[in-house]
Amino acid sequence: MALIVGMLSVVRPLLCTWAGLPDAAFWWKERATCCKVRARRFGSQRQLVVVEPSSTAGVAVLKLKNLPVNSFSLEFLTELIINLEKLENDKTFRGIIITSDCPKAFSAGVDLREICGKNPAHYTEYWKVLQDLWLRLYLSNLVLISAINGPCAAGGCLIPLTSDYRILADNPKCLIGLNETRLGISAPFWFKDPLVNIIGHRASEHALQLGLLFPPAEALQVGIVDKVVPKDQVQSTALSVMTQWLAIPDHARQLTKNMIRKPTADLLVKHRDTDIQNFVSFISRDSIQKSLQMYLAKLKQNKD
Amino acid sequence: MALIVGMLSVVRPLLCTWAGLPDAAFWWKERATCCKVRARRFGSQRQLVVVEPSSTAGVAVLKLKNLPVNSFSLEFLTELIINLEKLENDKTFRGIIITSDCPKAFSAGVDLREICGKNPAHYTEYWKVLQDLWLRLYLSNLVLISAINGPCAAGGCLIPLTSDYRILADNPKCLIGLNETRLGISAPFWFKDPLVNIIGHRASEHALQLGLLFPPAEALQVGIVDKVVPKDQVQSTALSVMTQWLAIPDHARQLTKNMIRKPTADLLVKHRDTDIQNFVSFISRDSIQKSLQMYLAKLKQNKD
Amino acid sequence: MALIVGMLSVVRPLLCTWAGLPDAAFWWKERATCCKVRARRFGSQRQLVVVEPSSTAGVAVLKLKNLPVNSFSLEFLTELIINLEKLENDKTFRGIIITSDCPKAFSAGVDLREICGKNPAHYTEYWKVLQDLWLRLYLSNLVLISAINGPCAAGGCLIPLTSDYRILADNPKCLIGLNETRLGISAPFWFKDPLVNIIGHRASEHALQLGLLFPPAEALQVGIVDKVVPKDQVQSTALSVMTQWLAIPDHARQLTKNMIRKPTADLLVKHRDTDIQNFVSFISRDSIQKSLQMYLAKLKQNKD
């Protein structure tokens, strides 16, 4: 945590991208200042995460806007964590709807550029921030609803898997799943654990080994999402589900959520350092780096 | 345990309410004596728990009769435990059908009067007895079938959750579920654990956070009950299911039941004292006591 | 392990029954030699396990051929383990389809003659080999598909429960389940654990206590098998499913499989010796031995 907190205190001025919300506290002013700073430094106001109030009191909408596919760059992850931290500390809010503002995807997960051609210290920092996002989401005191309005593969499932409720757009392109094995890698255990909690052991074993990406109807059947609705109703359905959740007194709901989720979260907390070491040693291998470089070159070629 | 045993040895003469059953052992006579004692002391023979033989050999029917809604008063819990202990030790019996003899409910769970306006020693004793009932039921060597012929909310689910089989009356009033969060409190982990065992992790997380009460069809679908039948067939269905269970040699079935359930029961045994401390410290808070007093006053007002 | 390895090194020459496969490594030659040795010693070439290449590259078909019902004799278990070990070490193969070559059953499980009338040392060895088969299958790096073309009861479920995928013939005789309690015994915890992983806690508790044998449609519904097809399509379906599994890079799939299964396997590894002691002490009891002798005598009588 020390490392992350240290890092955050450095990047905070660069990353603050909070959108205006009424009724907000101290950090609203801080935001205005830091955005000016950012604008001064980068000559732009590109926000990777946009937070807006919803029509329902107490509910924020957090829009992922790291074009084109919400890949988890370190900058994006950090901005996401800062925004979640602020919402968590802001007594105005009781729930967050997380959705994508990129037309092409909900999230594509890990940004390969962060784990290719860098040094072990960078990989360590990156993986730690990813774990930190997981922990923040999985144990959040707020009600988190994923409004999944685009494809959501591999690491991109991090947010849905750690939410309280998942709504998927009914569109054949909106595939969801942990397809890591198809890419030649294995999902970390802290992706497996919430998946097992959500869809059960057998379905997880099957889905993870085969790297299954579920289209909406199958996603609903296996239980990796709770509801499938037409794409233009994802947002309104999220708000209506949120209303049901907010009918419950926060304190009792939070205690209950924590009681159920803490054993799973404790596994990550306990094995966090080993997991980082495993990841860094795996990703630093020459063979892996070469594959990643080739893959990235190919992706770039396809773009050009 | 020492505390409970101590307490039981005191209250036993007051609570013994065993109904006549054929083929019974020593304690049948003891019962006759103690009932006379009770009658002498209270001038009544009000029984909170009635045990009757069924038409099927080896099967007792245990009727909960703490009017109006089978709230878990300390007296009722103690009587229940004594009766279960006797049935457990009586070689005549291999299975128990537990049902309600109150028209209004299967069980409303914790009696608020036991946890309001009393002292920490009382709260400690109360919670310990509740845990003891759980342990006795969950690890019972007998086949336990819950014949749920009325609403069954919050703590009232203790008996169904620890039974081997659950049959619910098909009546819209017969809601079942752990709705603690709606009352501003959190179910203890030893209610969460058997719920997770029965309906799975995801469904439990959802049901517990939202404090869901399931009507019969939904209860069956989510799996919190095994069968839904018309109210007038609950009893006969329970007997017919019991017959299937009794076709299995006791010793093998008991070993198997214990193998599956012990890890869950061990969690309560291990964390029992901490759980009591948490409960007592929570319930002793001024704010909680005030809420309970107001709630009880309101209930009393509604009655008047 | 030492004991098993020691034993295997002794029985290997007796049991090697490997069928000819193209493209194979060192042990193909070894096989030729040892089969000659076997033939010399027994004057027969009876093979209890037949391994054949399939029409799909990288896929072996392992046929259980211990007539009449593939009971787990010590010889059969040992031969099975040797063949699995060879396939595991042979880089030619990535997956195995396990099926029965006995018309009457997929497998009837434990051979009662191995646990009746012998001495504790024999029971110890037998149980250890059974555990070893379980461990080898459950953590196999190969894709294992059970093509269940006959009844499969009690210990006979060991192979399906530890496979990656289970296909059952759609025939009313093809019952599958852990019916130990009906025989007056309890399945070991390392049968319970994978069952819970596959069909969940509640369904396992129900199935194990009642010793349920599921006909095909129910087996599919409860999830103890993944697919039910007409008997003459079991093999072709297995091959077609295998093709899907082999589309995944081995290394990633193996890491993933191990991540999910290791915690369950670790339980057996950790409690292995205690489990053996429990089994040996249970099976050595006079009462149990008498029951087994009577049961065996009855079986023999029915045959005559």
Side-chain angles (χ1 to χ4, degrees):
Chain A
M1 277 302 291
L3 199 151
I4 290 185
V5 171
M7 191 194 66
L8 293 190
S9 64
V10 172
V11 294
R12 187 179 293 250
L14 309 180
L15 295 173
C16 187
T17 57
W18 189 262
L21 278 166
D23 308 312
F26 165 72
W27 54 270
W28 294 115
K29 291 175 198 162
E30 188 194 2
R31 179 209 157 245
T33 317
C34 88
C35 277
K36 278 185 214 154
V37 173
R38 225 175 73 97
R40 241 191 344 262
R41 290 174 78 147
F42 290 103
S44 87
Q45 284 231 351
R46 192 169 80 98
Q47 296 187 333
L48 305 183
V49 174
V50 178
V51 178
E52 289 171 357
S54 76
S55 55
T56 304
V59 181
V61 178
L62 188 154
K63 295 181 176 174
L64 310 173
K65 204 177 179 175
N66 188 22
L67 291 164
V69 290
N70 287 320
S71 295
F72 289 163
S73 68
L74 186 55
E75 189 190 359
F76 178 48
L77 288 175
T78 312
E79 192 166 336
L80 198 43
I81 290 172
I82 292 170
N83 279 283
L84 288 167
E85 193 184 346
K86 284 180 175 174
L87 284 166
E88 196 86 32
N89 293 332
D90 183 346
K91 299 301 169 211
T92 321
F93 296 105
R94 300 174 60 209
I96 314 178
I97 293 167
I98 306 181
T99 195
S100 166
D101 213 10
C102 298
K104 283 194 180 168
F106 180 78
S107 171
V110 167
D111 187 333
L112 297 184
R113 288 164 301 183
E114 298 285 1
I115 58 171
C116 179
K118 302 276 202 315
N119 57 46
H122 184 83
Y123 305 145
T124 299
E125 186 183 310
Y126 181 75
W127 205 244
K128 212 163 188 170
V129 172
L130 202 63
Q131 291 174 337
D132 199 50
L133 175 61
W134 189 100
L135 286 168
R136 180 161 291 284
L137 289 165
Y138 200 65
L139 295 179
S140 173
N141 272 326
L142 301 165
V143 177
L144 300 186
I145 296 183
S146 282
I148 311 165
N149 51 353
C152 180
C157 293
L158 189 150
I159 295 170
L161 286 177
T162 53
S163 291
D164 293 302
Y165 201 89
R166 290 155 286 275
I167 300 161
L168 181 64
D170 192 5
N171 183 303
K173 285 186 185 167
C174 287
L175 301 171
I176 183 168
L178 295 169
N179 60 330
E180 277 84 348
T181 55
R182 290 186 184 265
L183 315 173
I185 55 175
S186 176
F189 75 86
W190 36 287
F191 275 69
K192 178 261 294 175
D193 287 344
L195 186 71
V196 169
N197 287 347
I198 293 169
I199 69 171
H201 194 282
R202 168 60 191 153
S204 297
E205 198 180 282
H206 190 229
L208 283 170
Q209 283 207 64
L210 292 184
L212 296 181
L213 286 173
F214 298 100
E218 290 178 34
L220 186 64
Q221 202 188 358
V222 80
I224 196 172
V225 299
D226 299 295
K227 219 182 237 306
V228 168
V229 298
K231 197 169 180 177
D232 60 0
Q233 293 170 27
V234 168
Q235 196 65 17
S236 58
T237 305
L239 269 172
S240 128
V241 168
M242 181 64 87
T243 306
Q244 294 164 26
W245 284 70
L246 295 186
I248 306 301
D250 283 337
H251 184 65
R253 191 192 50 71
Q254 288 160 0
L255 279 176
T256 302
K257 179 175 178 175
N258 194 271
M259 172 179 68
I260 309 177
R261 294 195 165 193
K262 198 165 175 299
T264 302
D266 282 349
L267 289 176
L268 174 52
V269 171
K270 190 178 168 191
H271 299 292
R272 189 165 186 176
D273 291 336
T274 317
D275 181 63
I276 292 174
Q277 284 164 27
N278 290 343
F279 171 74
V280 174
S281 114
F282 174 80
I283 214 72
S284 302
R285 284 187 209 166
D286 281 349
S287 58
I288 300 291
Q289 283 294 315
K290 271 183 198 159
S291 314
L292 287 172
Q293 275 154 17
M294 283 170 61
Y295 190 71
L296 277 168
K298 211 172 151 188
L299 282 181
K300 217 191 153 195
Q301 218 174 1
N302 289 346
K303 248 192 208 164
D304 297 342
Chain B
M1 278 304 293
L3 198 149
I4 290 184
V5 171
M7 189 194 67
L8 293 190
S9 66
V10 173
V11 294
R12 187 180 293 249
L14 308 180
L15 295 173
C16 189
T17 57
W18 191 261
L21 280 166
D23 309 311
F26 164 73
W27 55 268
W28 291 116
K29 292 175 197 162
E30 187 194 2
R31 177 205 160 249
T33 317
C34 89
C35 278
K36 279 185 212 153
V37 173
R38 223 176 74 94
R40 244 195 337 265
R41 289 174 78 145
F42 290 102
S44 88
Q45 285 232 349
R46 191 170 79 99
Q47 295 188 332
L48 305 183
V49 175
V50 179
V51 178
E52 289 171 356
S54 76
S55 55
T56 305
V59 181
V61 177
L62 189 153
K63 295 182 176 173
L64 310 174
K65 202 176 180 175
N66 188 21
L67 290 162
V69 289
N70 287 320
S71 295
F72 289 161
S73 68
L74 187 53
E75 188 189 0
F76 179 49
L77 288 174
T78 312
E79 191 165 339
L80 198 43
I81 290 171
I82 292 171
N83 279 283
L84 289 167
E85 193 183 348
K86 285 180 175 173
L87 285 167
E88 196 86 34
N89 293 332
D90 183 345
K91 299 303 169 207
T92 322
F93 296 105
R94 300 174 60 210
I96 314 176
I97 293 167
I98 306 180
T99 194
S100 167
D101 212 9
C102 297
K104 282 193 180 171
F106 180 79
S107 171
V110 166
D111 187 333
L112 297 183
R113 289 163 300 184
E114 298 286 0
I115 58 171
C116 179
K118 302 278 201 314
N119 57 44
H122 184 83
Y123 304 146
T124 299
E125 186 182 310
Y126 181 74
W127 206 245
K128 213 162 187 170
V129 172
L130 202 62
Q131 292 174 336
D132 199 51
L133 175 61
W134 188 100
L135 285 169
R136 179 161 292 284
L137 290 165
Y138 200 64
L139 295 180
S140 173
N141 272 326
L142 300 166
V143 176
L144 301 186
I145 296 182
S146 282
I148 312 164
N149 52 353
C152 179
C157 292
L158 189 149
I159 294 169
L161 286 176
T162 53
S163 291
D164 292 302
Y165 201 90
R166 289 154 286 277
I167 299 161
L168 181 63
D170 192 4
N171 183 303
K173 284 186 185 169
C174 287
L175 301 170
I176 182 168
L178 296 169
N179 60 332
E180 277 84 348
T181 55
R182 290 186 184 265
L183 315 172
I185 55 174
S186 177
F189 76 86
W190 36 288
F191 276 68
K192 178 260 294 176
D193 287 344
L195 186 70
V196 169
N197 287 347
I198 293 169
I199 70 171
H201 194 281
R202 168 58 190 153
S204 297
E205 198 181 284
H206 190 228
L208 284 170
Q209 282 207 62
L210 292 184
L212 297 181
L213 287 172
F214 298 100
E218 289 178 32
L220 186 63
Q221 202 189 356
V222 81
I224 197 171
V225 300
D226 299 295
K227 220 184 237 306
V228 168
V229 298
K231 197 168 179 177
D232 59 0
Q233 293 170 28
V234 168
Q235 196 65 15
S236 58
T237 306
L239 269 173
S240 128
V241 169
M242 182 64 87
T243 307
Q244 294 164 27
W245 285 71
L246 296 186
I248 306 299
D250 283 337
H251 184 66
R253 192 192 50 71
Q254 289 160 358
L255 279 176
T256 302
K257 178 174 179 176
N258 194 271
M259 172 179 67
I260 309 178
R261 294 196 165 191
K262 198 166 175 295
T264 301
D266 282 349
L267 289 175
L268 174 52
V269 172
K270 189 178 169 190
H271 299 291
R272 189 165 186 178
D273 291 336
T274 317
D275 182 62
I276 292 173
Q277 285 164 25
N278 289 343
F279 171 73
V280 174
S281 116
F282 175 80
I283 213 72
S284 302
R285 284 187 209 164
D286 282 349
S287 58
I288 299 292
Q289 283 295 315
K290 270 183 198 159
S291 314
L292 287 172
Q293 275 153 16
M294 283 169 60
Y295 189 71
L296 277 168
K298 211 171 152 189
L299 283 181
K300 217 191 152 193
Q301 216 172 2
N302 288 345
K303 248 189 208 165
D304 296 344
Chain C
M1 278 300 293
L3 198 149
I4 289 184
V5 171
M7 189 195 66
L8 293 191
S9 65
V10 173
V11 294
R12 188 180 293 248
L14 309 179
L15 295 174
C16 188
T17 57
W18 190 261
L21 277 169
D23 307 310
F26 164 74
W27 55 268
W28 293 116
K29 293 174 197 161
E30 188 195 3
R31 178 208 159 247
T33 318
C34 89
C35 277
K36 279 185 214 155
V37 173
R38 226 176 73 97
R40 246 195 337 264
R41 291 175 78 147
F42 290 105
S44 88
Q45 284 232 350
R46 192 171 78 99
Q47 296 188 332
L48 305 184
V49 174
V50 178
V51 178
E52 290 170 357
S54 77
S55 55
T56 304
V59 181
V61 177
L62 189 154
K63 295 182 176 171
L64 310 173
K65 203 176 177 175
N66 189 22
L67 291 162
V69 289
N70 287 320
S71 295
F72 290 161
S73 68
L74 186 54
E75 189 190 359
F76 179 50
L77 287 175
T78 311
E79 190 166 338
L80 198 43
I81 291 172
I82 292 170
N83 279 282
L84 289 167
E85 193 183 348
K86 285 179 174 175
L87 284 166
E88 196 85 35
N89 293 331
D90 183 346
K91 299 302 169 208
T92 321
F93 296 105
R94 299 173 60 210
I96 314 177
I97 293 167
I98 306 180
T99 195
S100 167
D101 213 10
C102 298
K104 282 195 179 167
F106 179 79
S107 171
V110 167
D111 186 332
L112 297 183
R113 288 164 300 184
E114 298 286 0
I115 58 171
C116 179
K118 303 276 200 316
N119 58 45
H122 183 83
Y123 304 146
T124 299
E125 186 182 310
Y126 181 75
W127 206 244
K128 212 163 188 171
V129 172
L130 203 62
Q131 291 174 336
D132 198 50
L133 175 62
W134 188 101
L135 285 169
R136 180 161 292 283
L137 289 165
Y138 200 64
L139 295 179
S140 173
N141 273 325
L142 301 165
V143 177
L144 301 186
I145 296 183
S146 282
I148 312 163
N149 51 354
C152 179
C157 293
L158 189 151
I159 294 170
L161 287 177
T162 53
S163 292
D164 293 301
Y165 201 89
R166 290 154 286 275
I167 299 161
L168 181 64
D170 192 5
N171 183 303
K173 284 187 185 168
C174 286
L175 301 171
I176 182 168
L178 296 168
N179 60 331
E180 277 84 348
T181 55
R182 290 186 184 266
L183 314 173
I185 55 174
S186 178
F189 74 86
W190 36 288
F191 276 69
K192 178 261 294 175
D193 287 343
L195 187 70
V196 169
N197 287 347
I198 293 169
I199 70 171
H201 193 281
R202 168 59 190 154
S204 297
E205 199 181 283
H206 190 228
L208 283 170
Q209 282 207 63
L210 292 184
L212 297 181
L213 286 173
F214 298 100
E218 289 179 33
L220 186 64
Q221 202 189 357
V222 81
I224 197 171
V225 299
D226 298 294
K227 221 183 236 308
V228 168
V229 298
K231 197 169 180 178
D232 59 1
Q233 293 169 26
V234 168
Q235 195 66 14
S236 57
T237 306
L239 269 172
S240 128
V241 169
M242 181 64 87
T243 307
Q244 294 164 27
W245 285 71
L246 295 187
I248 306 300
D250 283 337
H251 184 66
R253 191 191 51 71
Q254 288 159 0
L255 279 176
T256 302
K257 179 173 178 176
N258 193 271
M259 171 179 68
I260 309 178
R261 294 195 165 193
K262 198 165 175 297
T264 301
D266 282 349
L267 288 175
L268 174 52
V269 172
K270 189 177 169 191
H271 299 292
R272 191 166 184 175
D273 290 337
T274 317
D275 181 63
I276 292 173
Q277 285 164 27
N278 289 344
F279 171 74
V280 174
S281 115
F282 175 79
I283 213 72
S284 302
R285 284 187 209 164
D286 281 349
S287 58
I288 299 291
Q289 284 295 315
K290 270 182 199 160
S291 312
L292 287 172
Q293 276 154 15
M294 284 170 60
Y295 190 71
L296 279 168
K298 211 171 153 189
L299 282 181
K300 218 190 152 196
Q301 216 173 3
N302 288 346
K303 248 192 209 166
D304 299 341

